[in-house]
Amino acid sequence: MSAMTGRAHPAPLDGSAARHTLAGGSPPGYASQNRRLPPRASGNRPQPGFPPVPGPRALELRRAAANRAARARPGPLHIVLYALTGPDGTANGDLAAARGYAERQRLVVTGPPLVDTLDSIDIRTGGDAPLLRRGYARALQMLADPACPVRGVVAVSRTAITPVDRLYQDQLSWYADRRAGLWLVRGETAI
């Protein structure tokens, strides 16, 4: 700053301002341009923009509401059985449990059961994305098709759909939006 005019000196034309700036300092006669903010306290960090996932009881209530909406639609309630198994497992036990549950609930089983088998790579990486599984994707296609009589899926537990809370919550919203049902032999609070 010039003492006489009260204005900042213009940058020198010889490149000395650039040399000082590149060297990490301020050019002579200029105020520091260090505008970094102090770090936040660890408890004051911004959180991701996702709302919290409801607990198991709230998820079970959401699923029950979707199931009631599916039952309220006119006509018989047709469902498809779905099971998920690992590379060395068999889905026979899960399908038998799902079939027995469907009969007790007076749900009409339609078509062959849909089974997805996770391979060893899926198991190592989680295999949690239900939309990447052929059998489950086929079940959702049936539910989305207005000409198809299938209005629901029966599985043994929510882990057959996905163990990831946010993905499971998204699936419940998908079912509710289409007035379709997801019936589980073991509810969310039983896991």
Side-chain angles (χ1 to χ4, degrees), residues 151-178:
R151 295 196 324 244
V153 173
V154 175
V156 168
S157 69
R158 73 158 269 188
T159 57
I161 308 305
T162 181
V164 178
D165 291 341
R166 189 156 313 280
L167 294 177
Y168 183 69
Q169 180 182 10
D170 291 345
Q171 286 303 296
L172 291 180
S173 296
W174 190 93
Y175 281 91
D177 291 346
R178 285 153 187 81

PDB file of all heavy atoms in Angstrom, residues 151-178:
ATOM      1  N   ARG A 151     -48.646 -60.567  -8.721  1.00  0.00           N
ATOM      2  CA  ARG A 151     -48.680 -59.310  -7.962  1.00  0.00           C
ATOM      3  C   ARG A 151     -47.827 -59.370  -6.710  1.00  0.00           C
ATOM      4  O   ARG A 151     -47.929 -58.506  -5.840  1.00  0.00           O
ATOM      5  CB  ARG A 151     -50.120 -58.975  -7.580  1.00  0.00           C
ATOM      6  CG  ARG A 151     -50.990 -58.680  -8.771  1.00  0.00           C
ATOM      7  CD  ARG A 151     -52.261 -57.985  -8.397  1.00  0.00           C
ATOM      8  NE  ARG A 151     -52.852 -58.384  -7.146  1.00  0.00           N
ATOM      9  CZ  ARG A 151     -54.044 -58.973  -7.011  1.00  0.00           C
ATOM     10  NH1 ARG A 151     -54.758 -59.256  -8.063  1.00  0.00           N
ATOM     11  NH2 ARG A 151     -54.502 -59.262  -5.825  1.00  0.00           N
ATOM     12  N   GLY A 152     -46.990 -60.402  -6.593  1.00  0.00           N
ATOM     13  CA  GLY A 152     -46.168 -60.482  -5.400  1.00  0.00           C
ATOM     14  C   GLY A 152     -45.092 -61.547  -5.494  1.00  0.00           C
ATOM     15  O   GLY A 152     -45.094 -62.391  -6.388  1.00  0.00           O
ATOM     16  N   VAL A 153     -44.174 -61.484  -4.543  1.00  0.00           N
ATOM     17  CA  VAL A 153     -43.054 -62.411  -4.428  1.00  0.00           C
ATOM     18  C   VAL A 153     -43.051 -62.953  -3.012  1.00  0.00           C
ATOM     19  O   VAL A 153     -43.316 -62.214  -2.058  1.00  0.00           O
ATOM     20  CB  VAL A 153     -41.711 -61.691  -4.722  1.00  0.00           C
ATOM     21  CG1 VAL A 153     -40.521 -62.590  -4.450  1.00  0.00           C
ATOM     22  CG2 VAL A 153     -41.677 -61.169  -6.145  1.00  0.00           C
ATOM     23  N   VAL A 154     -42.758 -64.244  -2.877  1.00  0.00           N
ATOM     24  CA  VAL A 154     -42.577 -64.853  -1.557  1.00  0.00           C
ATOM     25  C   VAL A 154     -41.149 -65.383  -1.491  1.00  0.00           C
ATOM     26  O   VAL A 154     -40.700 -66.106  -2.375  1.00  0.00           O
ATOM     27  CB  VAL A 154     -43.579 -66.004  -1.302  1.00  0.00           C
ATOM     28  CG1 VAL A 154     -43.276 -66.682   0.029  1.00  0.00           C
ATOM     29  CG2 VAL A 154     -44.999 -65.499  -1.334  1.00  0.00           C
ATOM     30  N   ALA A 155     -40.427 -64.988  -0.439  1.00  0.00           N
ATOM     31  CA  ALA A 155     -39.060 -65.446  -0.195  1.00  0.00           C
ATOM     32  C   ALA A 155     -38.942 -65.827   1.274  1.00  0.00           C
ATOM     33  O   ALA A 155     -39.819 -65.511   2.082  1.00  0.00           O
ATOM     34  CB  ALA A 155     -38.066 -64.340  -0.541  1.00  0.00           C
ATOM     35  N   VAL A 156     -37.873 -66.502   1.619  1.00  0.00           N
ATOM     36  CA  VAL A 156     -37.690 -66.953   3.001  1.00  0.00           C
ATOM     37  C   VAL A 156     -37.418 -65.785   3.932  1.00  0.00           C
ATOM     38  O   VAL A 156     -37.999 -65.684   5.001  1.00  0.00           O
ATOM     39  CB  VAL A 156     -36.566 -68.002   3.083  1.00  0.00           C
ATOM     40  CG1 VAL A 156     -36.169 -68.274   4.515  1.00  0.00           C
ATOM     41  CG2 VAL A 156     -37.012 -69.278   2.425  1.00  0.00           C
ATOM     42  N   SER A 157     -36.524 -64.873   3.539  1.00  0.00           N
ATOM     43  CA  SER A 157     -36.194 -63.739   4.398  1.00  0.00           C
ATOM     44  C   SER A 157     -35.733 -62.576   3.541  1.00  0.00           C
ATOM     45  O   SER A 157     -35.497 -62.718   2.342  1.00  0.00           O
ATOM     46  CB  SER A 157     -35.098 -64.113   5.400  1.00  0.00           C
ATOM     47  OG  SER A 157     -33.875 -64.304   4.725  1.00  0.00           O
ATOM     48  N   ARG A 158     -35.576 -61.444   4.175  1.00  0.00           N
ATOM     49  CA  ARG A 158     -35.152 -60.262   3.429  1.00  0.00           C
ATOM     50  C   ARG A 158     -33.747 -60.388   2.886  1.00  0.00           C
ATOM     51  O   ARG A 158     -33.377 -59.708   1.944  1.00  0.00           O
ATOM     52  CB  ARG A 158     -35.287 -59.011   4.270  1.00  0.00           C
ATOM     53  CG  ARG A 158     -34.221 -58.920   5.356  1.00  0.00           C
ATOM     54  CD  ARG A 158     -34.008 -57.546   5.822  1.00  0.00           C
ATOM     55  NE  ARG A 158     -32.970 -56.904   5.048  1.00  0.00           N
ATOM     56  CZ  ARG A 158     -32.470 -55.730   5.342  1.00  0.00           C
ATOM     57  NH1 ARG A 158     -32.906 -55.070   6.374  1.00  0.00           N
ATOM     58  NH2 ARG A 158     -31.531 -55.193   4.623  1.00  0.00           N
ATOM     59  N   THR A 159     -32.919 -61.257   3.469  1.00  0.00           N
ATOM     60  CA  THR A 159     -31.565 -61.437   2.944  1.00  0.00           C
ATOM     61  C   THR A 159     -31.586 -62.099   1.568  1.00  0.00           C
ATOM     62  O   THR A 159     -30.609 -61.989   0.835  1.00  0.00           O
ATOM     63  CB  THR A 159     -30.685 -62.239   3.914  1.00  0.00           C
ATOM     64  OG1 THR A 159     -31.307 -63.494   4.184  1.00  0.00           O
ATOM     65  CG2 THR A 159     -30.465 -61.477   5.209  1.00  0.00           C
ATOM     66  N   ALA A 160     -32.681 -62.766   1.222  1.00  0.00           N
ATOM     67  CA  ALA A 160     -32.806 -63.286  -0.140  1.00  0.00           C
ATOM     68  C   ALA A 160     -32.961 -62.134  -1.126  1.00  0.00           C
ATOM     69  O   ALA A 160     -32.570 -62.241  -2.286  1.00  0.00           O
ATOM     70  CB  ALA A 160     -33.992 -64.233  -0.250  1.00  0.00           C
ATOM     71  N   ILE A 161     -33.513 -61.038  -0.672  1.00  0.00           N
ATOM     72  CA  ILE A 161     -33.634 -59.851  -1.511  1.00  0.00           C
ATOM     73  C   ILE A 161     -32.309 -59.095  -1.465  1.00  0.00           C
ATOM     74  O   ILE A 161     -31.647 -58.947  -2.475  1.00  0.00           O
ATOM     75  CB  ILE A 161     -34.801 -58.949  -1.053  1.00  0.00           C
ATOM     76  CG1 ILE A 161     -36.096 -59.752  -0.922  1.00  0.00           C
ATOM     77  CG2 ILE A 161     -34.960 -57.754  -1.979  1.00  0.00           C
ATOM     78  CD1 ILE A 161     -36.517 -60.516  -2.142  1.00  0.00           C
ATOM     79  N   THR A 162     -31.919 -58.596  -0.317  1.00  0.00           N
ATOM     80  CA  THR A 162     -30.611 -57.982  -0.098  1.00  0.00           C
ATOM     81  C   THR A 162     -30.414 -57.736   1.397  1.00  0.00           C
ATOM     82  O   THR A 162     -31.352 -57.341   2.087  1.00  0.00           O
ATOM     83  CB  THR A 162     -30.453 -56.652  -0.867  1.00  0.00           C
ATOM     84  OG1 THR A 162     -29.145 -56.124  -0.611  1.00  0.00           O
ATOM     85  CG2 THR A 162     -31.494 -55.630  -0.486  1.00  0.00           C
ATOM     86  N   PRO A 163     -29.205 -57.935   1.898  1.00  0.00           N
ATOM     87  CA  PRO A 163     -28.933 -57.609   3.297  1.00  0.00           C
ATOM     88  C   PRO A 163     -28.622 -56.127   3.510  1.00  0.00           C
ATOM     89  O   PRO A 163     -28.520 -55.672   4.639  1.00  0.00           O
ATOM     90  CB  PRO A 163     -27.717 -58.472   3.634  1.00  0.00           C
ATOM     91  CG  PRO A 163     -27.025 -58.670   2.336  1.00  0.00           C
ATOM     92  CD  PRO A 163     -28.096 -58.683   1.287  1.00  0.00           C
ATOM     93  N   VAL A 164     -28.467 -55.359   2.435  1.00  0.00           N
ATOM     94  CA  VAL A 164     -28.124 -53.942   2.534  1.00  0.00           C
ATOM     95  C   VAL A 164     -29.397 -53.141   2.793  1.00  0.00           C
ATOM     96  O   VAL A 164     -30.324 -53.146   1.986  1.00  0.00           O
ATOM     97  CB  VAL A 164     -27.422 -53.455   1.244  1.00  0.00           C
ATOM     98  CG1 VAL A 164     -27.108 -51.973   1.325  1.00  0.00           C
ATOM     99  CG2 VAL A 164     -26.169 -54.271   0.989  1.00  0.00           C
ATOM    100  N   ASP A 165     -29.434 -52.444   3.928  1.00  0.00           N
ATOM    101  CA  ASP A 165     -30.644 -51.736   4.351  1.00  0.00           C
ATOM    102  C   ASP A 165     -31.168 -50.758   3.306  1.00  0.00           C
ATOM    103  O   ASP A 165     -32.351 -50.719   3.017  1.00  0.00           O
ATOM    104  CB  ASP A 165     -30.392 -50.991   5.666  1.00  0.00           C
ATOM    105  CG  ASP A 165     -30.216 -51.922   6.839  1.00  0.00           C
ATOM    106  OD1 ASP A 165     -30.633 -53.092   6.733  1.00  0.00           O
ATOM    107  OD2 ASP A 165     -29.654 -51.487   7.864  1.00  0.00           O
ATOM    108  N   ARG A 166     -30.289 -49.935   2.751  1.00  0.00           N
ATOM    109  CA  ARG A 166     -30.745 -48.913   1.801  1.00  0.00           C
ATOM    110  C   ARG A 166     -31.306 -49.552   0.531  1.00  0.00           C
ATOM    111  O   ARG A 166     -32.316 -49.104   0.000  1.00  0.00           O
ATOM    112  CB  ARG A 166     -29.609 -47.955   1.450  1.00  0.00           C
ATOM    113  CG  ARG A 166     -30.101 -46.770   0.644  1.00  0.00           C
ATOM    114  CD  ARG A 166     -29.238 -45.555   0.752  1.00  0.00           C
ATOM    115  NE  ARG A 166     -28.813 -45.159   2.063  1.00  0.00           N
ATOM    116  CZ  ARG A 166     -29.551 -44.482   2.947  1.00  0.00           C
ATOM    117  NH1 ARG A 166     -30.766 -44.154   2.668  1.00  0.00           N
ATOM    118  NH2 ARG A 166     -29.058 -44.150   4.119  1.00  0.00           N
ATOM    119  N   LEU A 167     -30.663 -50.604   0.026  1.00  0.00           N
ATOM    120  CA  LEU A 167     -31.174 -51.294  -1.166  1.00  0.00           C
ATOM    121  C   LEU A 167     -32.509 -51.960  -0.863  1.00  0.00           C
ATOM    122  O   LEU A 167     -33.430 -51.957  -1.691  1.00  0.00           O
ATOM    123  CB  LEU A 167     -30.166 -52.331  -1.663  1.00  0.00           C
ATOM    124  CG  LEU A 167     -28.849 -51.789  -2.206  1.00  0.00           C
ATOM    125  CD1 LEU A 167     -27.919 -52.933  -2.581  1.00  0.00           C
ATOM    126  CD2 LEU A 167     -29.085 -50.875  -3.388  1.00  0.00           C
ATOM    127  N   TYR A 168     -32.633 -52.525   0.322  1.00  0.00           N
ATOM    128  CA  TYR A 168     -33.886 -53.164   0.710  1.00  0.00           C
ATOM    129  C   TYR A 168     -35.003 -52.126   0.828  1.00  0.00           C
ATOM    130  O   TYR A 168     -36.125 -52.341   0.360  1.00  0.00           O
ATOM    131  CB  TYR A 168     -33.707 -53.916   2.026  1.00  0.00           C
ATOM    132  CG  TYR A 168     -34.940 -54.661   2.462  1.00  0.00           C
ATOM    133  CD1 TYR A 168     -35.388 -55.769   1.751  1.00  0.00           C
ATOM    134  CD2 TYR A 168     -35.662 -54.265   3.575  1.00  0.00           C
ATOM    135  CE1 TYR A 168     -36.526 -56.459   2.139  1.00  0.00           C
ATOM    136  CE2 TYR A 168     -36.791 -54.947   3.970  1.00  0.00           C
ATOM    137  CZ  TYR A 168     -37.217 -56.035   3.252  1.00  0.00           C
ATOM    138  OH  TYR A 168     -38.348 -56.718   3.631  1.00  0.00           O
ATOM    139  N   GLN A 169     -34.692 -50.986   1.403  1.00  0.00           N
ATOM    140  CA  GLN A 169     -35.667 -49.907   1.515  1.00  0.00           C
ATOM    141  C   GLN A 169     -36.122 -49.459   0.120  1.00  0.00           C
ATOM    142  O   GLN A 169     -37.314 -49.223  -0.107  1.00  0.00           O
ATOM    143  CB  GLN A 169     -35.057 -48.744   2.283  1.00  0.00           C
ATOM    144  CG  GLN A 169     -35.984 -47.570   2.460  1.00  0.00           C
ATOM    145  CD  GLN A 169     -35.315 -46.419   3.195  1.00  0.00           C
ATOM    146  OE1 GLN A 169     -34.119 -46.409   3.425  1.00  0.00           O
ATOM    147  NE2 GLN A 169     -36.095 -45.445   3.559  1.00  0.00           N
ATOM    148  N   ASP A 170     -35.183 -49.359  -0.820  1.00  0.00           N
ATOM    149  CA  ASP A 170     -35.528 -48.992  -2.196  1.00  0.00           C
ATOM    150  C   ASP A 170     -36.450 -50.030  -2.827  1.00  0.00           C
ATOM    151  O   ASP A 170     -37.386 -49.683  -3.550  1.00  0.00           O
ATOM    152  CB  ASP A 170     -34.271 -48.837  -3.050  1.00  0.00           C
ATOM    153  CG  ASP A 170     -33.433 -47.632  -2.660  1.00  0.00           C
ATOM    154  OD1 ASP A 170     -33.945 -46.756  -1.929  1.00  0.00           O
ATOM    155  OD2 ASP A 170     -32.259 -47.579  -3.081  1.00  0.00           O
ATOM    156  N   GLN A 171     -36.189 -51.303  -2.549  1.00  0.00           N
ATOM    157  CA  GLN A 171     -37.049 -52.351  -3.093  1.00  0.00           C
ATOM    158  C   GLN A 171     -38.454 -52.257  -2.505  1.00  0.00           C
ATOM    159  O   GLN A 171     -39.442 -52.417  -3.230  1.00  0.00           O
ATOM    160  CB  GLN A 171     -36.446 -53.740  -2.823  1.00  0.00           C
ATOM    161  CG  GLN A 171     -35.266 -54.053  -3.693  1.00  0.00           C
ATOM    162  CD  GLN A 171     -35.615 -53.953  -5.159  1.00  0.00           C
ATOM    163  OE1 GLN A 171     -36.432 -54.700  -5.670  1.00  0.00           O
ATOM    164  NE2 GLN A 171     -34.999 -53.007  -5.847  1.00  0.00           N
ATOM    165  N   LEU A 172     -38.572 -51.982  -1.223  1.00  0.00           N
ATOM    166  CA  LEU A 172     -39.897 -51.832  -0.616  1.00  0.00           C
ATOM    167  C   LEU A 172     -40.659 -50.670  -1.255  1.00  0.00           C
ATOM    168  O   LEU A 172     -41.867 -50.767  -1.495  1.00  0.00           O
ATOM    169  CB  LEU A 172     -39.779 -51.634   0.892  1.00  0.00           C
ATOM    170  CG  LEU A 172     -39.301 -52.839   1.699  1.00  0.00           C
ATOM    171  CD1 LEU A 172     -39.233 -52.490   3.179  1.00  0.00           C
ATOM    172  CD2 LEU A 172     -40.198 -54.042   1.478  1.00  0.00           C
ATOM    173  N   SER A 173     -39.966 -49.594  -1.549  1.00  0.00           N
ATOM    174  CA  SER A 173     -40.609 -48.454  -2.223  1.00  0.00           C
ATOM    175  C   SER A 173     -41.073 -48.865  -3.622  1.00  0.00           C
ATOM    176  O   SER A 173     -42.152 -48.466  -4.060  1.00  0.00           O
ATOM    177  CB  SER A 173     -39.637 -47.281  -2.324  1.00  0.00           C
ATOM    178  OG  SER A 173     -39.308 -46.818  -1.049  1.00  0.00           O
ATOM    179  N   TRP A 174     -40.252 -49.642  -4.314  1.00  0.00           N
ATOM    180  CA  TRP A 174     -40.613 -50.106  -5.655  1.00  0.00           C
ATOM    181  C   TRP A 174     -41.892 -50.944  -5.601  1.00  0.00           C
ATOM    182  O   TRP A 174     -42.797 -50.761  -6.407  1.00  0.00           O
ATOM    183  CB  TRP A 174     -39.455 -50.911  -6.252  1.00  0.00           C
ATOM    184  CG  TRP A 174     -39.632 -51.233  -7.696  1.00  0.00           C
ATOM    185  CD1 TRP A 174     -39.179 -50.507  -8.756  1.00  0.00           C
ATOM    186  CD2 TRP A 174     -40.316 -52.362  -8.250  1.00  0.00           C
ATOM    187  NE1 TRP A 174     -39.546 -51.113  -9.918  1.00  0.00           N
ATOM    188  CE2 TRP A 174     -40.237 -52.249  -9.641  1.00  0.00           C
ATOM    189  CE3 TRP A 174     -40.984 -53.444  -7.703  1.00  0.00           C
ATOM    190  CZ2 TRP A 174     -40.800 -53.185 -10.503  1.00  0.00           C
ATOM    191  CZ3 TRP A 174     -41.554 -54.379  -8.556  1.00  0.00           C
ATOM    192  CH2 TRP A 174     -41.458 -54.249  -9.940  1.00  0.00           C
ATOM    193  N   TYR A 175     -41.971 -51.857  -4.647  1.00  0.00           N
ATOM    194  CA  TYR A 175     -43.175 -52.694  -4.498  1.00  0.00           C
ATOM    195  C   TYR A 175     -44.395 -51.821  -4.181  1.00  0.00           C
ATOM    196  O   TYR A 175     -45.463 -52.002  -4.758  1.00  0.00           O
ATOM    197  CB  TYR A 175     -42.977 -53.731  -3.388  1.00  0.00           C
ATOM    198  CG  TYR A 175     -42.170 -54.936  -3.791  1.00  0.00           C
ATOM    199  CD1 TYR A 175     -40.793 -54.969  -3.620  1.00  0.00           C
ATOM    200  CD2 TYR A 175     -42.781 -56.068  -4.329  1.00  0.00           C
ATOM    201  CE1 TYR A 175     -40.053 -56.080  -3.987  1.00  0.00           C
ATOM    202  CE2 TYR A 175     -42.051 -57.186  -4.691  1.00  0.00           C
ATOM    203  CZ  TYR A 175     -40.679 -57.169  -4.521  1.00  0.00           C
ATOM    204  OH  TYR A 175     -39.950 -58.272  -4.881  1.00  0.00           O
ATOM    205  N   ALA A 176     -44.230 -50.894  -3.263  1.00  0.00           N
ATOM    206  CA  ALA A 176     -45.355 -50.043  -2.857  1.00  0.00           C
ATOM    207  C   ALA A 176     -45.851 -49.192  -4.023  1.00  0.00           C
ATOM    208  O   ALA A 176     -47.064 -49.023  -4.194  1.00  0.00           O
ATOM    209  CB  ALA A 176     -44.943 -49.155  -1.688  1.00  0.00           C
ATOM    210  N   ASP A 177     -44.940 -48.685  -4.830  1.00  0.00           N
ATOM    211  CA  ASP A 177     -45.326 -47.858  -5.976  1.00  0.00           C
ATOM    212  C   ASP A 177     -46.166 -48.632  -6.989  1.00  0.00           C
ATOM    213  O   ASP A 177     -46.965 -48.045  -7.719  1.00  0.00           O
ATOM    214  CB  ASP A 177     -44.091 -47.287  -6.683  1.00  0.00           C
ATOM    215  CG  ASP A 177     -43.370 -46.242  -5.860  1.00  0.00           C
ATOM    216  OD1 ASP A 177     -43.956 -45.754  -4.855  1.00  0.00           O
ATOM    217  OD2 ASP A 177     -42.219 -45.914  -6.205  1.00  0.00           O
ATOM    218  N   ARG A 178     -45.999 -49.938  -7.061  1.00  0.00           N
ATOM    219  CA  ARG A 178     -46.718 -50.763  -8.022  1.00  0.00           C
ATOM    220  C   ARG A 178     -47.858 -51.569  -7.389  1.00  0.00           C
ATOM    221  O   ARG A 178     -48.437 -52.425  -8.030  1.00  0.00           O
ATOM    222  CB  ARG A 178     -45.739 -51.693  -8.725  1.00  0.00           C
ATOM    223  CG  ARG A 178     -44.925 -50.930  -9.737  1.00  0.00           C
ATOM    224  CD  ARG A 178     -43.587 -51.525  -9.992  1.00  0.00           C
ATOM    225  NE  ARG A 178     -42.783 -50.660 -10.846  1.00  0.00           N
ATOM    226  CZ  ARG A 178     -42.102 -49.608 -10.432  1.00  0.00           C
ATOM    227  NH1 ARG A 178     -42.121 -49.274  -9.172  1.00  0.00           N
ATOM    228  NH2 ARG A 178     -41.394 -48.880 -11.261  1.00  0.00           N
TER     229      ARG A 178
END
